[in-house]
Amino acid sequence: MSKKTPSGSTQAVVLDLGAVIATVADDDPRVLLVNAEDTDSRPRLPSGPFDPDSDRTMEEGLRRWIAEQTGLTVGFVEQLYTFGDRFRDPDNRAGGPRSISVGYVALIRQSAAKRPAGSDWFDWYRLFPWEDWRHGRPALLDEILKPKIGSWIDGAEDAKAKRARRGRSDIAFGFSDVGWDADRVLERYELLYEAGLVAETVTDGRIKTGQGQSDAHAWTGLPLHQDHRRILATALGRLRGKIRYRPVIFEVMPIAFTLLQLQRAVEALAGAPLHKQNFRRLVAAEGLVEPTGRVSSETGGRPAELFRFRPDVVRERPAPGVRMPRGRRAK
Amino acid sequence: MSKKTPSGSTQAVVLDLGAVIATVADDDPRVLLVNAEDTDSRPRLPSGPFDPDSDRTMEEGLRRWIAEQTGLTVGFVEQLYTFGDRFRDPDNRAGGPRSISVGYVALIRQSAAKRPAGSDWFDWYRLFPWEDWRHGRPALLDEILKPKIGSWIDGAEDAKAKRARRGRSDIAFGFSDVGWDADRVLERYELLYEAGLVAETVTDGRIKTGQGQSDAHAWTGLPLHQDHRRILATALGRLRGKIRYRPVIFEVMPIAFTLLQLQRAVEALAGAPLHKQNFRRLVAAEGLVEPTGRVSSETGGRPAELFRFRPDVVRERPAPGVRMPRGRRAK
DNA sequence: TCCCCATATGCTCAAATTAAGTATAAGTAT
DNA sequence: ATACTTATACTTAATTTGAGCATATGGGGA
């Protein structure tokens, strides 16, 4: 075995820090994207350099360039994943330095989420329409994706490969007896990518040429630059998992909020409807919130009490978060 | 906002792939460490270069060098975290290229886990003695760590800082009403590090000079090279979380095993004892295993039936894994 | 003013899950 | 044979969950 960490000759890698900056606004999940420069290009995730000379840690560097580039001050920040596949940048097919991106998720309150010049807050589900089950199972799934995935399965080399593909899609999309697992966002995106069902596939050369997929993003969502949609899928899956056992949802809430607002925010990220009375019982029982004493009459009906996050909860419960039924109502 | 991904001038970064290669042997969790070269140095995690020219993906590169360096073929591999703090390499204090390490966890079955030359399989809990609750709450916690953490709390600047420290240690170690949360391995290690209670702290210059801490690893575990113990803490926390909802435990099991062996393996990673009858009911109910028909008489008592993993479970349940009480018996 | 509507909030109840026993079976060692 | 070890089946009470019903409290219009 090698004795020293291979400190190697300088490698041909370029490292940057990518950010999925997310919030919830008007009961919908939003993500900050840098607008396409022209009609041929696509929106992209904001990203910035990592400067080893001035940034003590990568997270510090990330916060620095987010502030510089967008003027935003983000709260919660968590490292997501480091993306380094060769073809993540389709232009960089042969030679050239490998582009490595350390991806982060950052959360910000709607009130602090101004719109930086050149960027926009996009509805997350415009990028992943099949992930939004808040109003029931998306029609898109059965009407379009399921048959297309079916063809992909049938297109496999042999019976074994076919079985493997079927297994994968059953798991990812819950087509057989498994229910829908909201957390498997990445698996679903990856399957669609491999099956040539997302617009990116064309660019990336997996599909030769126009198969009449120009309407692709009508059903597979808005295509993004490079592998940025994959990064977003990773982020959404991670967030969905995380709200269940850490109180991260409050990072996107205003300081005072009604329980229904809180529920809508959770539903927005989770992509699933929740039972109102039980939700209320749950956050009360977990001790996640405390009343402020004030009420909000903006709803039309009976005024709702305003609550605030109760930070002490993390000192009382091992894994405080918004418990949710996992893929139960799914079918 | 910048229009192009800052493809920047070549940065002074060196990237390598680090691996936490783990297994369970003799009912204890093990991790592969490269032996110290001399008495002054410390064991280290194996790591290898990332070669953008030959490795299509980082995971591929990882598997390649693991095979080359150790002769091992690992099964399950998952990216953990990318470590890039300035002082992760204490020798690299000023200038010089920043050392960035993309950390992975890899699991391997005991049967495949030969001992590579120059390396050894270490008991994970030699490195984190306070994490092993299989035989009850570790005495070390109350006898040594709690008072020392207490002094650290008292040593805070002002009342506010003191409260913050107390809050953190309550959460991490479950000192107040919160129970022990087995998953918070990293938080605990980080607190001990900041409190100057692990041997690494001395080297890293946070503590001026010998405070009679030469016996440190009697109570804080075997110190490792650079920030490798932090990487291990990250890995252990991640694995503990993961076994609960993905069947990763079977990656370290032999093909056929008894239910008690399986339970011991889970306990080894989880660091907590489990109720035998319930464990058995649970794996049966989840459909995680199926009988092989054979029995094992190696236990001394009644021969146990041999089971094998039932891969179909992932097609049937949304999140198949070994459910466990979370910090319930903790106190 | 009073009724209707909308939302908020409190409460009930059955089903499912969980934690923790007790009892029994089937081997090995002495 | 007897003691001892481990395996496995079954019971029970407590807790958690999913879902619905009932009541409260505001605004707006007849």
Side-chain angles (χ1 to χ4, degrees), chain A residues 1 11 50 82 119 178 315, chain B residues 1 11 50 82 119 178 315:
Chain A
M1 303 198 54
Q11 292 154 304
F50 173 56
T82 298
S119 305
V178 220
R315 217 171 307 156
Chain B
M1 303 198 53
Q11 293 153 301
F50 172 56
T82 298
S119 306
V178 220
R315 216 169 309 155

Side-chain angles (χ1 to χ4, degrees), chain A residues 1 3 5 11 15 37 44 50 52-53 55-56 79 82 86 98 119 178 181 184 315 318, chain B residues 1 3 5 11 15 37 44 50 52-53 55-56 58 79 82 86 98 119 178 181 184 315 318:
Chain A
M1 303 198 54
K3 297 288 215 148
T5 301
Q11 292 154 304
L15 189 120
E37 295 145 45
R44 68 201 317 155
F50 173 56
D53 291 330
D55 300 323
R56 263 189 333 119
Q79 190 186 301
T82 298
R86 177 170 305 167
R98 180 74 64 91
S119 305
V178 220
D181 182 351
R184 296 189 191 255
R315 217 171 307 156
Chain B
M1 303 198 53
K3 297 289 214 145
T5 301
Q11 293 153 301
L15 189 118
E37 296 146 44
R44 68 201 315 156
F50 172 56
D53 293 330
D55 300 323
R56 264 189 333 118
M58 293 190 294
Q79 190 186 301
T82 298
R86 177 170 303 167
R98 182 73 64 93
S119 306
V178 220
D181 183 352
R184 297 190 191 252
R315 216 169 309 155

Side-chain angles (χ1 to χ4, degrees), chain A residues 14-77:
Chain A
V14 173
L15 189 120
D16 70 84
L17 306 174
V20 175
I21 306 175
T23 189
V24 175
D26 302 326
D27 298 342
D28 282 318
R30 300 284 162 90
V31 64
L32 189 70
L33 295 179
V34 181
N35 293 330
E37 295 145 45
D38 50 66
T39 47
D40 280 353
S41 69
R42 296 167 172 181
R44 68 201 317 155
L45 285 175
S47 75
F50 173 56
D51 177 0
D53 291 330
S54 60
D55 300 323
R56 263 189 333 119
T57 68
M58 293 191 293
E59 187 180 315
E60 212 168 81
L62 181 88
R63 289 182 187 273
R64 185 180 53 72
W65 76 246
I66 289 182
E68 288 173 7
Q69 253 189 58
T70 69
L72 300 175
T73 305
V74 293
F76 172 87
V77 163

Side-chain angles (χ1 to χ4, degrees), chain B residues 65-218:
Chain B
W65 75 246
I66 289 182
E68 289 173 7
Q69 253 189 56
T70 69
L72 300 175
T73 305
V74 292
F76 173 87
V77 163
E78 180 177 273
Q79 190 186 301
L80 246 195
Y81 199 82
T82 298
F83 301 85
D85 285 6
R86 177 170 303 167
F87 296 139
R88 52 183 306 261
D89 179 356
D91 299 334
N92 185 13
R93 209 153 292 263
R98 182 73 64 93
S99 145
I100 305 260
S101 183
V102 183
Y104 282 80
V105 220
L107 296 179
I108 188 168
R109 286 173 218 292
Q110 184 190 355
S111 58
K114 311 266 175 272
R115 191 174 72 74
S119 306
D120 262 311
W121 293 97
F122 280 69
D123 185 327
W124 206 310
Y125 295 127
R126 251 185 85 192
L127 300 141
F128 300 91
W130 57 89
E131 295 291 346
D132 185 5
W133 287 55
R134 285 175 297 173
H135 311 291
R137 184 182 175 92
L140 164 82
L141 260 175
D142 296 309
E143 289 169 13
I144 298 169
L145 293 183
K146 193 167 183 181
K148 285 193 183 279
I149 290 172
S151 322
W152 171 72
I153 293 173
D154 292 335
E157 297 277 307
D158 50 39
K160 195 176 154 217
K162 199 177 280 192
R163 227 172 319 120
R165 285 187 179 184
R166 183 176 307 281
R168 270 187 67 197
S169 59
D170 282 356
I171 298 166
F173 288 89
F175 283 143
S176 63
D177 24 358
V178 220
W180 179 264
D181 183 352
D183 290 8
R184 297 190 191 252
V185 187
L186 181 61
E187 282 170 71
R188 286 188 281 271
Y189 176 76
E190 285 187 335
L191 189 143
L192 294 178
Y193 183 93
E194 280 183 49
L197 296 175
V198 288
E200 289 89 346
T201 318
V202 184
T203 333
D204 296 7
R206 288 186 146 269
I207 285 195
K208 301 297 163 277
T209 178
Q211 298 199 346
Q213 303 218 337
S214 52
D215 62 335
H217 53 277

Side-chain angles (χ1 to χ4, degrees), chain A residues 6 19 88 103 106 139-140 175 177 183 189 197 214 222 228 265 279 283 293 311:
Chain A
R88 52 184 304 260
L140 163 84
F175 282 142
D177 23 358
D183 290 7
Y189 176 76
L197 296 174
S214 51
L222 182 72
H228 290 189
F279 178 82
V283 293

